[in-house]
Structure formats: structure tokens, C-alpha cells
Amino acid sequence: MVRFLLSRLATAIPTLLIVSITVFALIRLIPGDPATLMLGDLAQPGQVETLRHQMGLDQPVIVQYLIWLGNVVSGDFGQSISTHQSVLPLILERFSVSATIVLLAVFLASLIAVPAGMFAAWRQDRFSDIAVIATSTLLLSIPSFWLGLMMLLVFGLWLGWLPVVGYVPFGRDFTGALLYTIMPVATLVMVESGSIARMARASTIEVARLDYITHARAKGLSEPAVMWRHAFKNAFAPTWTLIGLILGSLLANIAVIETVFTIPGLGRLLVDGIYARDYPVVQGCMLFVAFIYVVVNLAVDLVYPLLDPRVTT
């Protein structure tokens, strides 16, 4: 287990380093001067040059990268050009909103889709199996932004059951926050349930053909006992990997849902930073998202041996 952990860490660190280089290079390719943006169009040339010197923008690119990387490692992501706030606290504040919605959505999607996929596998080629496959395929085919807009139209405007615009933190008003998060969470649950159910079905069908399942049936165990006591653990392992990938992907790509539902999360912060050409915010968000994605996949890899010990051999 220790060797497995060290090998995954050895892979994660170079990945983060490559990501940091890529993010730094992409930001430097964007037209415009951060110093000019911070001071405004009416700034004097001398003021711009002084600020460029203070920010290290007059240094060679390699020196700029090393200075920036050192600051990032120490927790200094810079200062927002538009709001003049420290970038890291701003990112962490917005990330808590995104993480709440994504974690709720992935948990509920897994709670629904994994049993549905396993049930479909045990009823293979019957009506219930076909119904699960058809529903999963339909959900996979629906764009998340379109589904979100339809939910806003039906439940927000036509029926008036749920608020359309805004967000309330759970710590301030639990009931109000629940009302604001129902539609974005439900949208993500429906969109992601399809792929989880299909994976759970495929892995369960594969496990159901193994000899130890046949032996368990020969011992006279009931089908529910065979499914949950013998097949679930091995069938869930590939599905767990997919859930981890979905979790990391949603945390990285939730900007669409947050824009549709006007949620002040990390994705919305990144979009606003791009429109405002707020380089420190964009750079910090991209690096933070990459870091979260790597951490989530590392956590999934570390849990996997508990589900299937063969991966450590």
C-alpha cells in the first residue's frame, strides 16, 4: 500500500508542475498589460513602469515563472486586478459554493444510478434492463445547459415553485439555500446518472459471469444476497473510478451550470475573470482547478485498493 501511495504521489507532482507551466504560458499569451489594466488608461507611463517593476513584469519570463511559482507554493496567488482582493481567499470562498453543489449532485447520482445499473444487469435483456439503458442513453444525450434552462422555465417561471436567480449560503439560511440548490443539483444528477448507471451495469454483468458467483448460487444463496454480499464490491470498483473522474470533471467544468443558475461559485469566478481580463484571478482559478482534479483522482486511486486489492500487486 505504501509503495502504491508513493507511486501515485510521484505521478501527481510532475503533473502539477506541468500544469503550472502551461497555465503560466497561456496567461502570458493573452494580449494586454496587467500593469496598465490595474492603473487604468489614464495612468502615466512612469507609473506603469514602476508597477511593472514591482510586479516583476520587467524580468525574463523564466524569472517571472520562478517568482510566481514560489509565491504560489507559499499560498500567495496574487491580487485581483478588478476587486483588489487576495486571489486565494477569493478562490476558496467561491470553491466552497461549487464543492457543495458538486458533492451533493455526485452523491445523489451515485445513490440512484449504482443500484439501478446493478438491477439492470441482474435483469439483463428484460424490460427493466432495457428501460434503464434507454433512460441512461437519453440522459447522456441531453446538454446540461439546456436541461438547466428547461428547469428554470418550468419550475421557476411557469410553476413558481423555486427561485430563479440568486444563491444563499447554507450557513446563513439552510431552507433558503436548499431551495436555491435544488435545480442545479437536480440538473447535474440527471446528467451524470446516465454514465454511472451504464458503468455499474457493465461491471456487474462482467462480475456475474465469474466462477465465485456461480459457486455462491450453487450454495443456495438468494439473488439479493449474491448481488450485495458477493458481487457489489468487485462490480463497484470500476464504477468508483468513473465517479471520481466525474467528480473532478464537474469541479473543473461547473462554470456552465453556475452561469445558467447565477451561482457565485468557482466556475463563475473564472468566467468573470476572463471577461474582466483579470489575469491573477484567471491564473489562480486554472491552477486551483487543476490541483483539485489531481487531488480527487489521487484520492480515488488510494481508495481503489480497498475495493480491489489486486491493483497493488
Side-chain angles (χ1 to χ4, degrees), residues 49-295:
E49 291 301 323
T50 300
L51 184 58
R52 284 179 56 84
H53 178 73
Q54 293 174 353
M55 297 175 63
L57 297 176
D58 56 348
Q59 300 289 333
V61 175
I62 296 178
V63 176
Q64 292 183 40
Y65 169 74
L66 294 176
I67 294 173
W68 172 76
L69 183 62
N71 292 335
V72 167
V73 171
S74 65
D76 181 10
F77 279 47
Q79 189 179 58
S80 170
I81 296 174
S82 56
T83 64
H84 304 291
Q85 294 178 273
S86 296
V87 172
L88 183 57
L90 186 60
I91 289 176
L92 294 177
E93 179 185 354
R94 297 294 192 94
F95 175 70
S96 64
V97 177
S98 301
T100 300
I101 293 174
V102 169
L103 290 175
L104 279 173
V106 172
F107 173 75
L108 292 176
S110 303
L111 198 63
I112 296 170
V114 171
M118 295 185 67
F119 177 74
W122 240 258
R123 304 282 295 177
Q124 188 177 5
D125 298 329
R126 300 181 186 179
F127 176 78
S128 53
D129 178 32
I130 296 174
V132 170
I133 295 175
T135 304
S136 301
T137 304
L138 178 63
L139 292 175
L140 283 170
S141 305
I142 300 177
S144 59
F145 71 89
W146 182 87
L147 183 58
L149 291 173
M150 291 300 101
M151 295 193 70
L152 283 174
L153 182 64
V154 175
F155 297 104
L157 296 179
W158 290 354
L159 299 177
W161 291 354
L162 297 170
V164 176
V165 178
Y167 177 80
V168 177
F170 278 92
R172 183 187 307 170
D173 181 5
F174 183 84
T175 303
L178 193 61
L179 292 176
Y180 280 106
T181 55
I182 285 177
M183 284 196 289
V185 169
T187 301
L188 292 177
V189 167
M190 286 189 283
V191 169
E192 302 301 338
S193 292
S195 57
I196 296 176
R198 288 169 66 93
M199 175 60 76
R201 177 185 178 274
S203 57
T204 303
I205 290 175
E206 183 179 353
V207 170
R209 297 170 179 170
L210 298 178
D211 292 339
Y212 78 93
I213 298 296
T214 304
H215 178 69
R217 286 172 173 159
K219 290 167 58 178
L221 293 177
S222 64
E223 284 299 310
V226 172
M227 177 186 295
W228 297 111
R229 289 172 53 186
H230 295 275
F232 174 74
K233 186 175 181 179
N234 288 335
F236 183 67
T239 308
W240 169 252
T241 301
L242 177 62
I243 292 172
L245 292 174
I246 289 174
L247 179 60
S249 177
L250 285 179
L251 288 171
N253 302 307
I254 197 175
V256 174
I257 293 297
E258 291 179 349
T259 301
V260 170
F261 293 101
T262 62
I263 297 173
L266 183 61
R268 184 68 182 274
L269 177 64
L270 177 60
V271 172
D272 292 343
I274 292 173
Y275 282 132
R277 297 173 71 181
D278 196 334
Y279 300 121
V281 169
V282 175
Q283 200 166 238
C285 286
M286 293 174 65
L287 187 63
F288 186 81
V289 165
F291 173 76
I292 293 299
Y293 194 88
V294 171
V295 169

Side-chain angles (χ1 to χ4, degrees), residues 15-71:
T15 301
L16 288 173
L17 185 61
I18 293 173
V19 168
S20 69
I21 296 174
T22 305
V23 169
F24 182 85
L26 289 175
I27 293 299
R28 289 302 181 275
L29 293 176
I30 298 176
D33 183 14
T36 303
L37 290 175
M38 292 180 69
L39 294 174
D41 296 333
L42 300 179
Q44 298 297 323
Q47 294 176 317
V48 175
E49 291 301 323
T50 300
L51 184 58
R52 284 179 56 84
H53 178 73
Q54 293 174 353
M55 297 175 63
L57 297 176
D58 56 348
Q59 300 289 333
V61 175
I62 296 178
V63 176
Q64 292 183 40
Y65 169 74
L66 294 176
I67 294 173
W68 172 76
L69 183 62
N71 292 335

